[in-house]
Each structure stands twice: as C-alpha cells, then as structure tokens.
Amino acid sequence: MKTDKKNNQYRINEQIRVREVRIVGDNGSTVIPIRQALDMAHQQGVDLVEISPNANPPVCRLIDYSKFLYQQKKRQKEMKAKQVKVEVKEIRFGPQTDEHDYQFKLKHAREFLEEGNKVRAYVFFRGRSILFKEQGEVLLLRFANDLEEVGKVESMPSLEGKKMFLYLAPKKAGTQKKSQQARDREAAEAESQERRKEENTKRKDESAVLDIDSDMPANGGMLANAKISADALKKLTETEE
C-alpha cells in the first residue's frame, strides 16, 4: 500500500487513528472498525483515504491514493472552468453626447451585460461643462432605463470629482424584465401584423367576389342555351303532331 509524504492534505492508511470509520462507495456506506477497514484496503490492493475527518465517525474511501488525487484535481479544474469571471466594463459619455453615439454605446453596454459583465457608465465633465451635471444625470438615468431588460442598477448616478458614475449589474437568466421601450416595440409589431392580416383577408374576399362576377356571363349563357333548346324541342313536337 502507498503512503504519500509529499501531500498531507488527506490522511491515509495508518495515519488514520480512530476507533472506527464510515466507508463509502458505490454500494452505499457502512461503519466498521479501523482495523477491519485497513485489512479491506490491503486485500483490495488500494488505500484507505480519509475524505471527511470532521464527520462522526470520519468518512473514508477505499481507493488508490494517486487516483484519488487525480480525481480531486480534475474536479477542481472543472469547477474553476465553470466559474464565470465577472469583469467591469466602462462606458464613457460627454454631457452632450449625440444620439448616434449614445445608441452605439448602448449597444455595447447591452452586449457586456448579456455576457455577464458589470457596466460602469460615467459622464465626464471637462472645464465649464460641469454646469451641465443635471443633463448628465438625465442621460445616465435614460441609459439605465434602456438597459432595464438585461441590467439592474447597483447604484444611482453620483458625482465624484469631474465624473458622474452609474453602476449596472447583469440580471440573472429567466428574471429579465422588459423595458418600456421593448414593450412598445413589441406592441407596434403585433399591431402591424394584425393590420397586414386584415388586409390579406380583405384582398381574398374581394378576389372571391370577382370570381363570382366573372362566372355570371357563363351561367347566363347556359340558361339561355337551355331555353333555346326547350323552344326547339317544343316546335319539333308540334310539327310531328
């Protein structure tokens, strides 16, 4: 059996000095004396590894210690890969940012939040532009409202020196609330689709009326022919009599 003097993170084999241990495995768990557990490890050619020393009794596994360390390392690596690294992305405005520039930065901020990053938006006041701090606050509040669907406000606009900051955090999936702008857009699209549907129905009805009208001469001709044929038959009958 193996002993590991380089890694003291886990106690193994004779390092485990308790009266009894709980052995866990694929078939469940059982509490047995430490001596019996060591004998089982020896018979199977593996190690007795203590994985939960604070339990009562301590929890152990029968496994090759090198394999156990490999599994632990692999599990930690997978957990680390699943962890999302949150970054803080900055968006800078001027107090008199034009609409095109605003929409461009709004698009990028939305992408940052959808990727799980935080956004720190700020308005920079240069020189006498500090006189427009109310205008900067309005801009940041509009920014927060337009991103309501994907982000939540962590702190309202606040002036720090020559900069006014607004902090936004991403919303969790499944809890996103649609902004008024998005709701208005969807309502307009639904109304447009309904209008197109009504127009298509109207066109079909008009087309059906035209088809009926176009059949009228043909039907009239058939009735006329039938009348002529009846008159001819009547005259023929009279002649024969």
Side-chain angles (χ1 to χ4, degrees):
M1 290 184 292
K2 302 175 183 178
T3 58
D4 194 329
K5 296 181 180 179
K6 296 181 180 179
N7 194 322
N8 295 322
Q9 184 177 0
Y10 300 95
R11 294 191 299 180
I12 64 172
N13 303 325
E14 284 77 9
Q15 296 175 355
I16 307 171
R17 298 180 181 180
V18 293
R19 291 181 60 186
E20 57 185 14
V21 294
R22 181 180 296 275
I23 303 296
V24 296
D26 296 336
N27 298 324
S29 66
T30 181
V31 177
I32 59 175
I34 184 64
R35 190 70 262 167
Q36 183 180 347
L38 290 171
D39 290 342
M40 289 175 63
H42 180 73
Q43 292 170 6
Q44 297 179 25
V46 294
D47 298 297
L48 181 67
V49 182
E50 185 183 58
I51 59 175
S52 184
N54 296 326
N56 186 22
V59 180
C60 299
R61 285 184 62 188
L62 296 171
I63 187 173
D64 182 274
Y65 189 46
S66 299
K67 181 179 179 180
F68 173 77
L69 292 177
Y70 171 77
Q71 290 178 348
Q72 293 297 107
K73 185 177 180 180
K74 183 178 179 181
R75 188 176 293 110
Q76 291 174 0
K77 187 176 180 180
E78 290 174 350
M79 290 177 63
K80 186 177 180 180
K82 290 179 181 179
Q83 291 177 348
V84 179
K85 185 178 180 181
V86 178
E87 297 182 5
V88 179
K89 303 290 187 177
E90 282 196 345
I91 301 291
R92 172 177 170 171
F93 293 102
Q96 296 178 320
T97 300
D98 61 44
E99 184 64 21
H100 180 269
D101 191 31
Y102 174 83
Q103 292 297 334
F104 177 78
K105 292 178 178 179
L106 180 68
K107 177 184 176 183
H108 282 286
R110 183 180 296 275
E111 292 173 353
F112 294 150
L113 291 167
E114 289 175 344
E115 291 170 358
N117 298 307
K118 292 186 176 183
V119 170
R120 178 171 65 181
Y122 68 93
V123 179
F124 179 69
F125 301 97
R126 180 182 287 108
R128 297 190 53 154
S129 65
I130 193 68
L131 298 174
F132 300 99
K133 62 180 182 180
E134 290 81 6
Q135 189 172 337
E137 183 178 5
V138 170
L139 186 149
L140 291 177
L141 290 174
R142 176 194 174 190
F143 189 68
N145 183 68
D146 289 344
L147 293 171
E148 183 184 11
E149 184 178 348
V150 293
K152 58 183 179 181
V153 177
E154 283 195 329
S155 66
M156 297 299 287
S158 60
L159 187 63
E160 300 177 17
K162 294 184 178 181
K163 297 179 180 179
M164 181 175 286
F165 290 95
L166 170 74
Y167 292 86
L168 297 170
K171 282 188 175 180
K172 293 182 180 180
T175 61
Q176 294 181 356
K177 180 181 178 182
K178 293 183 179 179
S179 65
Q180 185 61 45
Q181 185 180 26
R183 291 194 292 269
D184 292 343
R185 183 171 60 250
E186 290 182 357
E189 290 175 355
E191 184 179 352
S192 177
Q193 290 178 359
E194 186 65 24
R195 189 160 52 248
R196 287 196 296 269
K197 184 178 179 181
E198 291 177 355
E199 290 175 355
N200 290 335
T201 302
K202 185 177 179 181
R203 290 196 193 99
K204 288 180 180 179
D205 293 342
E206 292 174 350
S207 177
V209 171
L210 290 174
D211 289 342
I212 293 173
D213 292 342
S214 63
D215 289 341
M216 289 300 292
N219 292 335
M222 291 174 65
L223 292 172
N225 291 335
K227 185 176 181 181
I228 293 170
S229 299
D231 292 342
L233 180 61
K234 183 177 180 181
K235 290 180 180 180
L236 179 62
T237 303
E238 291 174 352
T239 303
E240 289 178 353
E241 292 177 351

